[in-house]
């Protein structure tokens, strides 16, 4: 309920300035940029610029390509990561892809 209350709060629906494109109770940045629970509000002008999150579409293709590159670079020792483990929620795969979508562009 707290996540829903936050996104319908006047400060999210009618922000005092133009500094943000999205708003929600929690925005994670440690392992990805996402709103847990997929609870957020956003400016329509921002959302129109994003790749549609259609299953099997361009967004999915780019997401999978990015995760693959990340894992390969880390395996080769070319990239260090603070991820504690490899999990689909960390990478925004499977059902988590929509929770990551709004913050991944």
């Amino acid at each position: 309920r707290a996540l829903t209350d936050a996104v319908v709060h006047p400060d999210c629906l009618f922000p005092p300035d133009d500094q943000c494109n999205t708003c929600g109770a929690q925005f994670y940045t440690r392992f990805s940029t996402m709103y847990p629970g997929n609870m957020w509000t956003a400016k329509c002008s921002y959302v129109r610029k994003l790749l549609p999150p259609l299953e099997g579409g361009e967004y999915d293709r780019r997401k999978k390509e990015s995760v693959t590159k990340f894992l390969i670079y880390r395996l080769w020792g070319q990239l260090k990561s603070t991820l504690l483990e490899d999990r689909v929620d960390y990478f925004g795969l499977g059902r988590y892809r929509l929770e990551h979508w709004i913050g991944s562009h």
Side-chain angles (χ1 to χ4, degrees):
R1 181 170 162 102
L3 297 176
T4 304
D5 288 345
V7 299
V8 297
H9 189 278
D11 287 345
C12 263
L13 296 176
F14 309 103
D17 54 43
D18 250 1
Q19 292 185 0
C20 298
N21 291 311
T22 64
C23 184
Q26 301 173 356
F27 185 67
Y28 290 4
T29 58
R30 180 170 183 267
F31 51 83
S32 183
T33 51
M34 65 171 282
Y35 286 98
N38 208 19
M39 300 295 277
W40 46 267
T41 58
K43 294 178 185 176
C44 292
S45 59
Y46 173 70
V47 173
R48 272 193 296 274
K49 296 176 186 177
L50 305 180
L51 292 170
L54 303 172
E55 192 165 345
E58 182 72 9
Y59 171 74
D60 270 3
R61 186 187 67 73
R62 289 186 183 192
K63 174 64 98 169
K64 289 174 184 171
E65 182 181 299
S66 296
V67 171
T68 301
K69 285 181 179 179
F70 169 85
L71 293 171
I72 289 171
Y73 290 151
R74 194 178 63 187
L75 179 67
W76 291 343
Q78 296 176 337
L79 179 70
K80 296 196 186 280
S81 168
T82 59
L83 291 178
L84 302 175
E85 55 189 279
D86 296 336
R87 296 178 11 186
V88 293
D89 56 332
Y90 284 5
F91 295 127
L93 300 173
R95 78 161 194 86
Y96 302 100
R97 67 193 246 297
L98 295 177
E99 291 184 18
H100 287 238
W101 173 71
I102 196 71
S104 67
H105 293 70

